[in-house]
Amino acid sequence: MEHRMQLQDKPFQLIKQKTKTIEVRLHDEKRQQVTGNDIIIFTNIDKPQETLKVKVMETVEFPSFQALFNQYSNIEVGADEDAQLSQKLAAIYQIYNQRDELEHGVLAISIRLIK
C-alpha cells in the first residue's frame, strides 16, 4: 500500500541523507493503516515539488512519545545529537497535543529511502 505524508524541511533532508530512519507519528486512524513493506511518499512542506519515497521496514507502537524516544537514538529520530529528552518532547508537542497522544498512542515507523 502507498501512503502520502508531509514533512518539514529539516526531517525531510535528514531522511534524504539517510540519517533519520524512524518517522514518529501519532498512531491515529491514518497511521494504523501503515505496515511493513508499504511505501510512503513524503512531500517537503517548504518545497512541495520535493518528494521522497521510502519503504516501511516495520512499525512499532508505543503508549507515549517519551517511551518511543527512550527506545531510539537521537540520530534515528532526527533530533540533534545532544538533544535531551525534554527538548525532544517539547518539539513534538509543538506538532501533536498530549490529549491525542493519550487517546491514540504513538508509532515509530522504521523507514529506508528508496530511489
Side-chain angles (χ1 to χ4, degrees), residues 60-79:
V60 182
E61 297 174 46
F62 291 90
S64 67
F65 290 115
Q66 180 171 340
L68 186 153
F69 288 140
N70 284 332
Q71 184 72 33
Y72 298 101
S73 74
N74 287 358
I75 300 302
E76 289 174 299
V77 298

Side-chain angles (χ1 to χ4, degrees), residues 38-55:
D38 283 359
I39 300 295
I40 300 174
I41 307 294
F42 286 114
T43 300
N44 187 331
I45 291 172
D46 299 319
K47 302 170 189 166
Q49 71 281 8
E50 285 189 359
T51 61
L52 291 174
K53 185 183 244 185
V54 300
K55 181 177 181 177

Side-chain angles (χ1 to χ4, degrees), residues 11 20 26 32-33 46 52 55 64 67 69 90 95 102:
K20 177 177 168 39
L26 281 178
Q32 289 172 15
Q33 307 303 312
D46 299 319
L52 291 174
K55 181 177 181 177
S64 67
F69 288 140
I95 300 168
L102 290 170

Side-chain angles (χ1 to χ4, degrees), residues 11-63:
F12 184 93
Q13 297 305 328
L14 292 173
I15 292 171
K16 190 175 181 179
Q17 296 164 12
K18 300 181 181 179
T19 55
K20 177 177 168 39
T21 58
I22 302 294
E23 177 59 17
V24 178
R25 298 284 172 138
L26 281 178
H27 194 222
D28 58 11
E29 191 174 318
K30 183 177 177 183
R31 260 53 75 170
Q32 289 172 15
Q33 307 303 312
V34 178
T35 61
N37 292 318
D38 283 359
I39 300 295
I40 300 174
I41 307 294
F42 286 114
T43 300
N44 187 331
I45 291 172
D46 299 319
K47 302 170 189 166
Q49 71 281 8
E50 285 189 359
T51 61
L52 291 174
K53 185 183 244 185
V54 300
K55 181 177 181 177
V56 176
M57 306 311 292
E58 70 172 341
T59 60
V60 182
E61 297 174 46
F62 291 90

